[in-house]
């Protein structure tokens, strides 16, 4: 993959987020699942897009500035996140005696691109919904299947008969005409959302919590990785979700104060 236009919205968001965190292009490419040259081209293009993107974020934030935490509690936030099998920053620990550095018994093989899984999840101020592990590239048809079999059960679990608004980013599968028709047919309002704004989505904070809790985990394969993610996701409490939803007015205020620039969240 060598062209910036070939990157998905999720990949671009991952690159933007990690770049702002000061990660190297090599690390960013590995996490985003693309080539290092694609990362470089996207980052070098970023200044040209900032002014227009910031203006759209600012306009959106001003439109939502009077929303209260109670109003934000009616929103179901959703997102996808990539999880990789890894051993943290320090790598696997191997005990050996002096002079045994190259002994085959003291070496552990590694792979350039570790196994990974892509996960879809949703949350509200009442807690989290069931996870969906995505098996293929997410096109409009696949995404509608996720909505049917995972989002709707999550809505029943988190809202019961109460009304809610669904949030999603602007990935092609999400904004496809067929997907918009699906929402209309099911009578579900969708929150308008600014592009490239993971800092505004509280579920991003939940993914971060899950990944931090998994730092000491040692899954050996994709199935064990999925089990670990499920178990860790199940530990997320309604109180944690409620606090994150309550932060939405502060996030909006930060965007306005920063004239549309990314926030600390």
């Amino acid at each position: 993959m060598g062209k910036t236009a070939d990157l998905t919205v999720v990949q671009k968001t991952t690159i933007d987020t990690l770049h702002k965190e000061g990660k190297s292009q090599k690390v960013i490419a590995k996490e985003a699942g693309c080539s290092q040259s694609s990362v470089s081209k996207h980052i070098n293009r970023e200044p040209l897009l900032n002014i227009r993107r910031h203006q759209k974020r600012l306009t959106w934030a001003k439109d939502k500035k009077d929303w209260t935490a109670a109003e934000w509690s009616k929103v179901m936030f959703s997102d996808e996140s990539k999880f990789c099998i890894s051993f943290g920053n320090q790598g696997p620990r191997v005990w050996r005696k002096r002079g045994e550095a190259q002994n085959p018994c003291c070496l552990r093989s590694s792979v350039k691109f570790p196994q990974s899984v892509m996960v879809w999840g949703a949350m509200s101020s009442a807690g989290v919904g069931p996870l969906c592990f995505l098996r293929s590239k997410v096109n409009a048809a696949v995404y509608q299947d996720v909505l049917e079999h995972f989002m709707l059960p999550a809505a029943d679990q988190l809202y019961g008969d109460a009304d809610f608004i669904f949030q999603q980013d602007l990935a092609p599968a999400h904004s496809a005409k067929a997907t918009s028709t699906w929402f209309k047919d099911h009578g579900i309002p969708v929150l308008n959302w600014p592009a490239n704004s993971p800092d505004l989505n509280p579920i991003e904070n939940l993914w971060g919590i899950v990944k931090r809790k998994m730092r000491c985990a040692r899954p050996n394969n994709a199935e064990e990785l999925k089990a670990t993610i499920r178990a860790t996701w199940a530990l997320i409490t309604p109180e944690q979700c409620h606090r994150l939803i309550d932060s939405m007015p502060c996030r909006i205020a930060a965007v306005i104060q920063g004239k549309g620039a990314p926030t600390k969240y």
Side-chain angles (χ1 to χ4, degrees), residues 70-129:
E71 288 175 294
W72 283 110
S73 70
K74 298 177 182 179
V75 178
M76 180 194 292
F77 292 88
S78 70
D79 189 34
E80 294 97 16
S81 188
K82 184 178 181 180
F83 287 76
C84 296
I85 294 177
S86 66
F87 293 94
N89 296 330
Q90 297 182 355
R93 189 181 296 273
V94 178
W95 296 100
R96 60 185 177 230
K97 297 178 182 179
R98 183 176 297 177
E100 290 185 337
Q102 300 304 318
N103 189 318
C105 296
C106 299
L107 299 176
R108 179 172 292 179
S109 61
S110 63
V111 292
K112 186 175 182 180
F113 300 104
Q115 291 188 64
S116 63
V117 296
M118 186 66 76
V119 190
W120 177 94
M123 66 168 288
S124 77
S125 60
V128 297

Side-chain angles (χ1 to χ4, degrees), residues 27-49:
V27 170
I28 295 174
K30 180 178 179 181
E31 181 65 24
C34 64
S35 69
Q36 195 168 330
S37 64
S38 293
V39 172
S40 177
K41 289 177 182 178
H42 179 72
I43 290 174
N44 291 333
R45 234 180 109 184
E46 192 66 16
L48 301 176
L49 302 175

Side-chain angles (χ1 to χ4, degrees), residues 144-156:
Q144 290 161 43
D145 192 59
V146 172
L147 295 173
E148 189 78 38
H149 298 289
F150 291 89
M151 189 276 281
L152 290 181
D156 288 339

